[in-house]
Structures are given as C-alpha cells and as structure tokens.
Amino acid sequence: MMDRAALQVILLGMFLMSATSDPVKKKKNVDIYSFYINSTVTSRYATTVITSRVANTLNESQEIQFEVKIPKNAFISKFRMTIEGKTYDGVVKEKEAAQQQYNQAVSRGQSAGLVKSVGRTLEDFKTSVTVSAFSKVTFELTYEELLKRRLGKYELLINAQPMQPVADFKIDVHIQEKPGISFLEVKGDLSTGDLANAIKTTRADKDFQVWVTFYPTQDQQTKCKSCGENGLNGDLLITYDVERQNPKGEIMVSKGYFVHYFAPSDVPRISKNVVFIIDRSGSMSGRKIKQTRLALLKILSDLDEDDHFGLITFDSEVSLWKRELLRATEANLENAKSFVKEIRDRGATDINAAVLAGVDMINRHPREGTASILILLTDGDPTTGETNIEKIMSNVKKAIGNKFPLYCLGFGYDVNFDFLTKMSLENSGVARRIYEDSDADLQLQGFYEEVAVPLLTDIQLKYPGGTNLTKTSFSLYFNGSEIVVSGQITDNSVESFTTEVIAVSKGSNVTYQDTIMTKDPSDVPPENENFMQRLWAYLTVKQLLDRQVLLKGQEKEDEKKEALKLSLKYQFVTTLTSMVVTKPQEGEVEVANKPKEGKGGDGYTADVDSDDDDSAFASFSVINHHPAQRAFLLHSAAMDYSDAMDYSVMIHHPLPTYGSPTIHTTTPPAVQVHSNRFLLPVVGQSKPLCFDVPLPHKLRLLQDSASEFSMNGESLSENHGFHQIAIHYKTNHHLIISTKSISYHNGQDKVEILWGQELTQHNTDGVSLVVLENEMNVTMGNIGVVIISHKKDGVKFLWPAIWEHPKDVNLTGVLGKSDISYVKTEGSQTPTLKMKDKEVKTYLETVSDYRFHSTPVQECWLVPFQAVMEAEISDFTVTQL
C-alpha cells in the first residue's frame, strides 16, 4: 500500500468553505479512542497541539475524517498523519508552487480539501484519509497565536467537537507568566452542567504557573449545554491577566530575541473628544438601525463628564446633531439621546461627506491635553456623493493629517470591509466587523469599551541595540489593552538591554526607561526556549501582512517577500504559503485556504490570485467524500432538472421581470424618477407592459403560501436593480443573495457560495441551487427562479425572474401578476390602454431586458403601478428580507 502513488494535500494560505446537509452523526465502525488537546502558553504566546487517534473497526477500507476548529488569528504550523506506523509530515511551500500543483490535479479531475470559517472567532479545518480494515490513524495539528489583551484580560479559546464520546479525552493547558497571574477564570459551554466537575485548576510557583485540566468521562461528554449523543460540542474559554507591578512593562530576553509588554495602569485617564458617524441609509433598516440606537444610548450613558462628543448621521445627506462638540453633561446627554431615538433609515450612502464632517468638527474644536477619536459605523459601500474609494481615502487621510485615529465598524457582510480596513489603517485606527445577530448592539458597546479610556498618546518605543523590530509607534494606548514589541538583539554578548518609552499624558511628556540583565537565568523551560523567536516571527509576519493593504510598488513587493521568507522559515501557513502533505493514496489533491476578513462572508476558496488586492474570492473544488456525504457539497457538475421536476405540469412563466429605461420614443413629462422598472409580458400582445417602483425599497417579489415559498428584494437609492435578494422555503431553508456573495442555511448547516467561481451545484431536501459565473438558478419545491448578476457603470446589481412553476400555483407579489391583459385605444392624442375596463394613459418606452445577460432592448407600455397591480406599493413592502 505504501508504494502506491502519493496523494498530495495542500493547505493553502486561505481556507475553503464547505458544509454537510445532515447533522453530524456518530460515524459507524469508526472509533475515536483518544482525543488530546494540549495548549502551552508562555508569556502570552500559545502553542496548541490537537491529536486525534482513530480506529477503523470495519473489515474493509474506509475514509476517516479529521475535523477541528481553530482560532481565526492563529497560524497552522504543523500537520502530521501517522498510518500503519508510518508518519506523513507537512512541509510549507510558497503558495504559487502548490497552487500550480493543485491546478494540475484539478485538470485531471481530482478534488480539493475543505476548511471553512465558523462564526466570529473560529475556522473549521477538515481533511480525510482512507484507512485499511482494522487499522488506525493518528492526526496531529499544531497552531500558534499571540494572545491579545482586551478589556484587561487575555482569552485562550479551545474548541472541542470530536463527533462522538471519546474514552480517552483530555484537554491540558499550561500557562507560564513571569510577572505572575493575577486572576484566571474558566468559562464556555464545556464548563457547564456536569462538565464543571471535570475541570481542575492548579497554581504553582507563586502563581507564575497555572495548569488547567479537563478530563470528562464519556458519560459527562453527553451532558453539557451543547452536548448530546454525538459527544462534546463547544468551547473552553480561559481568561486571565498578569500582575503589573512595574509600570515600565515586562521585558524578556532569550537566545538573541526580546519581547516587551507595555501596559501601564497607574496613568490618569485622558478626557476625549469622540465623534460618532452613523450610517442611516436605507440598507440600515430594521434590526440594524434599532440595535445601533440601543448601542448609542448605552455608549452615551458611559461618557465621562469631562469628555466632549458629537453625533453625525448620514445617508445621501449629512446631518449634525450640533455643529460643535459638546461636553458630556447630563443635560447634553439627554438631548443627544432624544436625537438618537429619532434616527431613521433612508436614502443612499455618502461616506466621504460624513467622515469629512466628523474630521472638521474635531479640527474646529481643539482641546489641549485630550485625545480625539472618530468612530464610523456603516453597512454598505459609498453610493452617492464621492464614490471613488481611492479618492475618499485620500480626502480623509489629508483631512485627518495623522492627528487622531479613525475607527471603522462594518455592519454585516454587504459592507466593503477591505475599504474600511485600509482607511482605518491609513489613519492609525482599526476596522472591526459587527456581525448581524441578536447581540449586535453589545458588539458595538464592546468595541467602544475598548477605546473608552485613553491613557497615553503619541507613544514611541526605543530599543538601543535592537534590530528587526516590530511596530514601535502607536497613536493611542487605551486602558485594558497592551502594546507588544519584539525584536532581535544585535550583540548577544551584551550584559544588559535597555528600553525607553516616550509618550504624552494629558498634554505632558512622560518617559519610561528600564534596563534588564541579559545574563540572568532564563525563566523559560528548555522545551519552550524557542518561543520568543517564534513569537517575534509571528508578530512580524502578522504586521507585514496587515501593511500590505497600505503599500504599493516595490515597497509592497519587498515586504511581501520578507513575510514569505519568514512564513517558510517558521513553517507558518499564511496567505502566502501552502503546506503539502503526502498521503498513501493516489488520485486527489486537497486544497484548503485560510479565510481573511473580507468583503462578502466567511467562506473563501483556493484558486486565488494572491496579487489581486481587490479580490477576496475564487473558484471552488470539493473533496471526494462518500456518496452519502456528497449530497450537500458544492461541486462542479451540470445540473439535470429532469429528475426533479415533472415538465408535464410545468410552464415557462411569462411573468414580470424588469429592465432599465434608456430612450423615450414618446416624450413623457420631464421628471426624472429614480426607480426600478418591471416588465410584464402580456399574452397575445407584442409589447409588454412596464411599471416603475421608486427607490429605495424592500419588496415582496414572489410568494406561494401553499408551498411556503417567498422571495423578497432590497434596492438602494440611485442604484438600479437589487443589491440583496432573500428566498425562503418552508421554515428552515433560507437563501440570501447579495451582489458579492451567496449564503444558504438549512436550519443546521450554512453554505457560502461565491459569485464568479466555476459552475457550482447544491442539492438537498427539495432545494436545488446552481451557480454559474453571473447567474444563479434556484429551485425550491416546485418554484424555479433565476437571479442574474449584472454590472453597469461599475456598479453591480441583481435581477430576478421566474422561469417555471406548476400551472395551478397561485403566485402573489410584484412578480406574481399573471392575469393581465390590455387593449390599445385608437384615436387618442395621448396613447391609452384599456385595462380591466379602465382607460390608462401610457407612454412607449425603450428598455433593456435584464432577464438575459445580453440585455436585449425592447419596447414596452409604461403604466402606473396601481393600474397593473390593483394595489398600492405599500401593500408589497416588507420590513425584513
């Protein structure tokens, strides 16, 4: 078996997305007899090893999966499989070389491996191998991360979901902190119920070391908040902080490398000037705007009285609560809260004008010895005013002039997060995604709490005798956070090492200087003595990759080469590298790509052009699972509807679609209307009807109550078509289609599908989805619709159309009108149609028919909405997609 052709597994620097249609079930004839998670944290740097030992108890070969979840911030640094006594180690290679290997395999009809993002903090890693009868396999995955301090604590997140109760299950965590551990708490789903009794915490060496063990029995593994017959399913969250008796920070030196943790707490808080810039455009409607109001009300209550603040809301217009910054007095806060309660969604999105107004507000009211902060919250792209992203960033950077930071909060997945990230980094801030969920208001509050108490400004850290330093300049230091700098020592023979921090505290310069002896005995155990070098490499690579969005030309290429060199040296799987593992089967190449925080969702794919800064997506290939698992996986195969539908009862439905007006052949009143124009073919007539619906709107496009099918669409101001369409079927099937990505949820599993990829198909439980390059065919039950993605004048939009349904289905909604007829009235100076015994004035229009990619032009009779639908537009409006 071992001398068969090798199968290559490639773990690329961006992770693929996949899902299974059935809930996870205990694998028959597969025994996970041991599952260990061992995490060692040395001076905030965590190295976690997951080891799963699995036996094939079947008397024939079968595929065995290994699936674990790891933190998004981590780098995989090792993957190993041991089968029948032979070990197969991964080797990290440059991404392009492995990508070529992958492309060659795909051209031979072979398949790709899987990884996906899971929620906000985890990524799901999955691979598989065929194991002989009554044989065993050991999987071992190692990942590394630097724990980040937020709100006064570090968090080590460990997820466990081995798919079945395991006889020998252990989690061992060893934390070593030189200053001592001030507090430690174990939380998470795996600490609830009977499982709490399986957790043991041991402190030693005057709290310099802590061990946390979690050894649940098989019975306990079925009795937690999120556990069941499939065993453990949840997180163990260990939070802690360290003692901070030295305000100069903590310095550690080992083998020619150093790390400096700087987090003084004995500094008086600086009063702040904060301007909140809030998107109130139409896309913020519903829960988003309600949660934003709730969060702002809580944030306003948390302002200190010596803080000054401003409120700006914007859509196509910019509205200032007050023209100047006001002190956070009780009276001003009450007036501001009244203003917040009245924020309503409407209009387009003028980000440029709104941010510049916020900058101007701060610049017009300078206050000595304070810290100024801009916080932008938006859920979409700029759609009005200045819409060129490069120009907006240039305007904002010039206006701010490095005087204060801009923090950008992107609400949901329709936002251009790359744009927000770049604009934040250019102005000394950060971007954070706010997930559309029931706790979005708490997410907003949580971010504000991180920046609520500035302690120092203009921080510069200096290290004489240090080289290859990570970032040493910071605009603000907030209470509860931490500044980390690492580097190399140029002369290993020196006996001391000096650090100097220069900063501004309430308008006055302050200096922190410290010297340590480099020859002191190391507090680092021998088995962890290389951690500091790896910590430096991890932090350097992270910062180099983050800076890529800001750089251009040769400087960008130089930093990219340096990040690649370090990734290869330290075997980190990043966006620039790939890990190749040889397996003892032939015929497949598996590919897994590391997701980045991008423009359209959590799931990203393998076939990526890494040099394209504007692209977060690429094509998709799928692992060759057993047939029972294949049903829910996306794959490149032509779709055959003949098996799923009875064409004897299906018709091609001549129902409304819509187009975009181009030329008036009969001159209507000279009024420009921003609207979507729907086409309604009429049986027996050569010219269809058309009608307008003003923008923006959220419409019930199609509904069949009998089969529990509905389709809704949302349009934005000044944009043709729909930017998002939602299709629901029964109670558990939900499909959300945006101009950037497609998300399908069946009540248990979530699939992310990407526009622009190769032909992709999904079938399960009466639902059939086919994604072509710019078209999606959707069948749910007995209703079939087509969603086409168009791009006009640089703006993407969606167009829906019905393509088939049973004859006896009673459809409603804007697209559901079918019993319409008209007769043209002759002899009138103004064209008139007779409809339902009423005479309706009309105009002959030439429109582009966006039911088709070629957008053919045809004439239509333009009539009022009410004349066609026999109802008001409000009767077809929905509040939620």
Side-chain angles (χ1 to χ4, degrees):
M1 178 177 178
M2 295 301 167
D3 59 359
R4 296 174 64 185
L7 173 130
Q8 300 292 320
V9 183
I10 302 173
L11 305 177
L12 283 174
M14 299 181 66
F15 287 155
L16 282 178
M17 175 281 307
S18 169
T20 55
S21 59
D22 300 320
V24 175
K25 298 178 181 178
K26 181 177 178 179
K27 298 284 193 298
K28 295 181 179 179
N29 303 309
V30 172
D31 178 27
I32 304 174
Y33 61 91
S34 174
F35 196 96
Y36 289 177
I37 301 177
N38 186 292
S39 188
T40 301
V41 183
T42 305
S43 192
R44 288 69 137 188
Y45 193 69
T47 301
T48 302
V49 182
I50 304 175
T51 306
S52 177
R53 296 177 173 88
V54 189
N56 175 15
T57 60
L58 203 62
N59 62 355
E60 62 182 12
S61 296
Q62 68 167 321
E63 186 181 48
I64 290 180
Q65 286 188 4
F66 173 66
E67 181 176 5
V68 293
K69 295 178 176 64
I70 67 174
K72 287 183 178 179
N73 208 39
F75 288 154
I76 291 175
S77 57
K78 184 178 181 180
F79 180 67
R80 164 182 292 178
M81 290 183 295
T82 303
I83 308 169
E84 298 179 357
K86 186 171 181 179
T87 297
Y88 303 86
D89 281 311
V91 179
V92 171
K93 301 170 61 176
E94 185 175 0
K95 179 178 179 179
E96 283 73 12
Q99 184 70 45
Q100 184 177 3
Q101 208 169 9
Y102 160 67
N103 291 338
Q104 291 171 354
V106 169
S107 69
R108 297 193 298 268
Q110 296 158 3
S111 55
L114 305 171
V115 176
K116 63 178 179 179
S117 283
V118 181
R120 307 171 190 174
T121 56
L122 294 170
E123 292 166 354
D124 186 278
F125 170 79
K126 180 191 292 185
T127 190
S128 62
V129 66
T130 300
V131 177
S132 301
F134 304 117
S135 294
K136 298 178 180 179
V137 58
T138 298
F139 300 99
E140 183 181 304
L141 180 75
T142 302
Y143 61 86
E144 303 176 35
E145 60 180 324
L146 179 63
L147 303 183
K148 189 171 183 178
R149 189 171 187 249
R150 287 193 176 98
L151 300 175
K153 60 188 176 184
Y154 306 98
E155 292 187 347
L156 176 67
L157 180 65
I158 296 174
N159 179 272
Q161 189 182 0
M163 310 288 196
Q164 61 179 245
V166 179
D168 185 18
F169 181 96
K170 293 180 180 178
I171 295 179
D172 288 283
V173 178
H174 182 202
I175 302 174
Q176 306 165 84
E177 294 290 354
K178 184 178 178 181
I181 296 170
S182 60
F183 85 90
L184 183 142
E185 185 178 5
V186 181
K187 302 185 293 185
D189 294 337
L190 299 186
S191 66
T192 62
D194 287 351
L195 290 180
N197 300 321
I199 297 173
K200 183 179 179 181
T201 302
T202 305
R203 293 174 177 259
D205 296 338
K206 298 180 181 180
D207 288 336
F208 294 155
Q209 299 190 69
V210 174
W211 285 264
V212 178
T213 60
F214 177 59
Y215 299 169
T217 65
Q218 280 184 286
D219 183 57
Q220 287 176 320
Q221 291 172 42
T222 64
K223 296 180 178 178
C224 74
K225 182 179 178 181
S226 57
C227 302
E229 64 177 10
N230 295 321
L232 296 172
N233 179 10
D235 301 328
L236 201 65
L237 182 64
I238 299 173
T239 62
Y240 75 95
D241 199 13
V242 301
E243 298 288 353
R244 300 184 187 276
Q245 297 178 355
N246 184 0
K248 302 171 185 178
E250 174 193 350
I251 309 161
M252 295 185 70
V253 175
S254 176
K255 289 195 167 184
Y257 291 83
F258 77 89
V259 62
H260 182 198
Y261 297 99
F262 182 69
S265 56
D266 61 341
V267 185
R269 65 174 296 278
I270 303 173
S271 63
K272 61 184 179 291
N273 314 304
V274 56
V275 176
F276 301 96
I277 307 169
I278 307 301
D279 186 346
R280 65 176 183 201
S281 62
S283 58
M284 284 286 290
S285 64
R287 187 164 70 169
K288 286 183 189 176
I289 201 72
K290 291 178 183 177
Q291 291 174 318
T292 300
R293 288 196 295 261
L294 284 174
L296 277 174
L297 292 173
K298 179 65 169 62
I299 288 170
L300 289 172
S301 297
D302 290 341
L303 289 172
D304 287 289
E305 190 169 352
D306 59 348
D307 289 336
H308 285 62
F309 73 103
L311 292 171
I312 295 175
T313 59
F314 71 97
D315 45 69
S316 55
E317 299 176 352
V318 177
S319 300
L320 280 63
W321 169 58
K322 303 291 183 182
R323 284 189 51 79
E324 65 280 348
L325 293 171
L326 292 187
R327 188 173 178 180
T329 63
E330 185 174 347
N332 285 337
L333 290 174
E334 287 306 311
N335 288 334
K337 290 177 182 179
S338 298
F339 173 80
V340 167
K341 291 174 183 177
E342 297 304 316
I343 296 176
R344 297 291 183 268
D345 55 280
R346 66 180 196 186
T349 311
D350 192 344
I351 291 176
N352 181 71
V355 176
L356 292 182
V359 175
D360 180 66
M361 184 178 288
I362 290 179
N363 285 338
R364 283 188 291 106
H365 302 89
R367 292 197 304 138
E368 190 72 23
T370 63
S372 297
I373 302 169
L374 274 180
I375 300 178
L376 166 69
L377 171 67
T378 182
D379 76 332
D381 293 344
T383 59
T384 190
E386 180 59 70
T387 58
N388 183 290
I389 287 174
E390 292 297 327
K391 182 63 175 175
I392 293 172
M393 290 190 295
S394 174
N395 292 343
V396 171
K397 184 177 181 180
K398 181 179 179 181
I400 291 179
N402 296 319
K403 295 189 291 290
F404 44 82
L406 167 65
Y407 297 97
C408 295
L409 307 181
F411 210 139
Y413 278 110
D414 287 333
V415 70
N416 187 335
F417 198 75
D418 284 349
F419 159 53
L420 297 184
T421 298
K422 188 171 183 179
M423 188 163 65
S424 296
L425 290 174
E426 282 189 337
N427 295 284
S428 305
V430 296
R432 182 79 58 83
R433 190 183 297 281
I434 302 300
Y435 293 84
E436 291 187 55
D437 212 335
S438 58
D439 69 338
D441 55 323
L442 300 179
Q443 296 176 55
L444 290 168
Q445 292 172 40
F447 174 82
Y448 172 75
E449 288 171 5
E450 291 183 39
V451 299
V453 185
L455 298 180
L456 296 172
T457 63
D458 302 321
I459 306 102
Q460 305 292 326
L461 298 98
K462 299 181 179 181
Y463 303 92
T467 187
N468 293 326
L469 304 174
T470 59
K471 184 179 178 181
T472 57
S473 177
F474 301 86
S475 61
L476 281 169
Y477 162 69
F478 296 100
N479 188 40
S481 66
E482 182 173 63
I483 291 174
V484 184
V485 179
S486 185
Q488 296 175 259
I489 298 175
T490 54
D491 186 358
N492 287 331
S493 65
V494 298
E495 295 184 354
S496 64
F497 184 71
T498 299
T499 68
E500 183 180 35
V501 182
I502 302 171
V504 177
S505 171
K506 300 195 75 170
S508 301
N509 289 335
V510 293
T511 301
Y512 300 84
Q513 193 173 61
D514 199 9
T515 301
I516 66 165
M517 304 307 293
T518 61
K519 300 301 183 182
D520 287 347
S522 175
D523 295 311
V524 180
E527 63 270 20
N528 297 329
E529 61 184 9
N530 290 325
F531 94 92
M532 199 172 300
Q533 183 177 348
R534 298 190 69 82
L535 183 158
W536 166 81
Y538 172 94
L539 192 57
T540 301
V541 170
K542 280 281 186 185
Q543 292 180 359
L544 286 171
L545 293 176
D546 287 344
R547 284 205 299 268
Q548 285 287 298
V549 300
L550 298 178
L551 302 176
K552 295 180 180 179
Q554 190 59 46
E555 186 180 10
K556 180 172 184 174
E557 283 302 308
D558 291 344
E559 293 212 355
K560 182 178 177 182
K561 288 178 182 177
E562 182 63 22
L564 173 61
K565 183 177 75 173
L566 290 174
S567 298
L568 292 172
K569 179 177 179 179
Y570 293 93
Q571 295 286 282
F572 291 147
V573 178
T574 69
T575 55
L576 304 177
T577 57
S578 307
M579 180 178 281
V580 180
V581 184
T582 302
K583 293 201 301 187
Q585 291 91 34
E586 59 182 341
E588 294 179 352
V589 169
E590 296 184 349
V591 178
N593 279 352
K594 183 173 179 61
K596 71 175 181 178
E597 190 67 69
K599 295 186 287 187
D602 284 333
Y604 296 85
T605 62
D607 191 8
V608 171
D609 179 358
S610 61
D611 295 323
D612 184 0
D613 295 330
D614 296 324
S615 175
F617 312 122
S619 63
F620 191 100
S621 298
V622 178
I623 194 167
N624 187 18
H625 287 296
H626 293 307
Q629 298 168 305
R630 186 192 298 272
F632 198 81
L633 294 177
L634 309 177
H635 59 93
S636 299
M639 190 169 192
D640 183 359
Y641 290 98
S642 60
D643 293 335
M645 300 181 181
D646 179 3
Y647 281 95
S648 65
V649 296
M650 305 299 288
I651 60 172
H652 290 282
H653 192 45
L655 292 186
T657 178
Y658 48 99
S660 178
T662 54
I663 302 170
H664 296 294
T665 55
T666 303
T667 305
V671 178
Q672 184 179 9
V673 179
H674 295 290
S675 60
N676 273 332
R677 179 157 294 170
F678 291 75
L679 286 171
L680 177 57
V682 178
V683 176
Q685 296 287 356
S686 60
K687 291 183 176 61
L689 298 174
C690 51
F691 56 92
D692 290 338
V693 179
L695 297 171
H697 53 239
K698 284 184 181 177
L699 294 178
R700 183 170 70 252
L701 297 174
L702 194 64
Q703 184 169 2
D704 175 29
S705 301
S707 66
E708 298 179 81
F709 173 97
S710 65
M711 177 170 67
N712 303 320
E714 182 178 20
S715 296
L716 302 179
S717 294
E718 302 181 9
N719 285 349
H720 291 298
F722 292 86
H723 87 106
Q724 187 164 281
I725 293 174
I727 302 177
H728 308 283
Y729 177 53
K730 297 186 176 178
T731 58
N732 58 327
H733 297 280
H734 306 283
L735 177 66
I736 306 297
I737 308 166
S738 75
T739 55
K740 298 168 185 172
S741 65
I742 300 159
S743 174
Y744 171 69
H745 195 277
N746 71 348
Q748 295 169 337
D749 302 291
K750 187 175 182 179
V751 175
E752 297 288 341
I753 309 172
L754 310 173
W755 287 113
Q757 64 189 49
E758 296 176 355
L759 174 65
T760 300
Q761 175 181 333
H762 161 78
N763 286 306
T764 184
D765 195 19
V767 173
S768 179
L769 310 176
V770 177
V771 181
L772 306 173
E773 183 177 0
N774 291 303
E775 176 182 324
M776 183 172 192
N777 298 324
V778 180
T779 301
M780 292 190 176
N782 54 16
I783 309 293
V785 297
V786 177
I787 311 296
I788 296 180
S789 174
H790 287 284
K791 188 172 184 179
K792 185 176 182 180
D793 299 327
V795 178
K796 292 182 179 180
F797 53 88
L798 304 173
W799 300 94
I802 308 169
W803 58 285
E804 51 189 11
H805 74 94
K807 294 179 180 179
D808 57 352
V809 168
N810 181 25
L811 296 175
T812 59
V814 173
L815 300 182
K817 192 72 174 176
S818 60
D819 58 339
I820 192 71
S821 62
Y822 72 82
V823 176
K824 188 174 183 300
T825 304
E826 300 296 334
S828 174
Q829 288 185 340
T830 301
T832 303
L833 303 181
K834 190 171 184 179
M835 302 169 57
K836 298 281 187 180
D837 297 323
K838 295 181 180 178
E839 291 195 346
V840 179
K841 291 183 179 180
T842 185
Y843 303 96
L844 189 62
E845 296 278 347
T846 300
V847 299
S848 297
D849 189 349
Y850 284 108
R851 286 177 297 180
F852 308 99
H853 291 289
S854 58
T855 63
V857 175
Q858 62 172 300
E859 292 182 327
C860 69
W861 292 112
L862 180 62
V863 295
F865 177 95
Q866 294 81 356
V868 177
M869 306 305 294
E870 300 178 283
E872 298 296 325
I873 294 176
S874 59
D875 295 330
F876 295 86
T877 300
V878 296
T879 57
Q880 295 287 336
L881 287 186

